[in-house]
Amino acid sequence: HELMRESHEPVNIELLTRVADLVPGTASAADMRKWHDELVTWAAGREQMAAGRLGLELAAWLLFAATVVEFFDPAEVATRMGEAESPEAGAKGLELLATARQSLAVSPGLALAYLKRFREAWGLAGG
């Protein structure tokens, strides 16, 4: 990866230090949202650098993962699915979540905007 080609650059070391403690396999949705918030703050103003772009991309993936975990909560999913699959669902529709996922490959900023709309529509924390 680009980041490893210049691993001694200060900004790259900063990002590597920030993500060293990420353990997604055992993270809660709240942990993922916290890491997302920290990475978005860190990446601000660094978007033109490889490390900044990578940090923002990771932040978007973390928010997407938190959103999936929270939306598909077994205690809520049965109630939510009926509304989410409705043609009139708007920002609550699963199409928006799917579009956010597709956008991760193109633009983390765009994916974050879609995720924010979906989260706000459902009243998910940090939306």
Side-chain angles (χ1 to χ4, degrees):
H1 186 273
E2 231 177 302
L3 194 62
M4 294 297 102
R5 277 188 246 139
E6 298 174 5
S7 60
H8 298 294
E9 289 291 322
V11 71
N12 296 350
I13 293 169
E14 284 179 42
L15 178 59
L16 291 171
T17 301
R18 287 191 171 277
V19 300
D21 294 332
L22 299 182
V23 185
T26 59
S28 67
D31 293 333
M32 289 184 268
R33 286 193 320 272
K34 177 181 169 275
W35 293 333
H36 157 267
D37 293 345
E38 290 174 4
L39 282 168
V40 166
T41 299
W42 178 83
R46 295 179 173 97
E47 297 90 345
Q48 300 305 313
M49 300 177 207
R53 288 189 305 273
L54 186 59
L56 193 57
E57 186 176 327
L58 179 55
W61 275 105
L62 287 163
L63 188 60
F64 176 76
T67 302
V68 168
V69 168
E70 291 169 323
F71 179 80
F72 291 99
D73 177 352
E76 304 282 339
V77 71
T79 305
R80 289 178 175 165
M81 287 306 289
E83 191 173 350
E85 292 176 331
S86 166
E88 297 86 33
K92 286 187 169 187
L94 290 178
E95 293 82 14
L96 186 58
L97 185 59
T99 300
R101 167 56 186 93
Q102 292 170 334
S103 298
L104 286 166
V106 179
S107 168
L110 186 58
L112 288 169
Y114 288 135
L115 289 167
K116 184 175 174 88
R117 281 186 58 213
F118 185 82
R119 294 181 67 80
E120 285 174 350
W122 284 104
L124 297 176

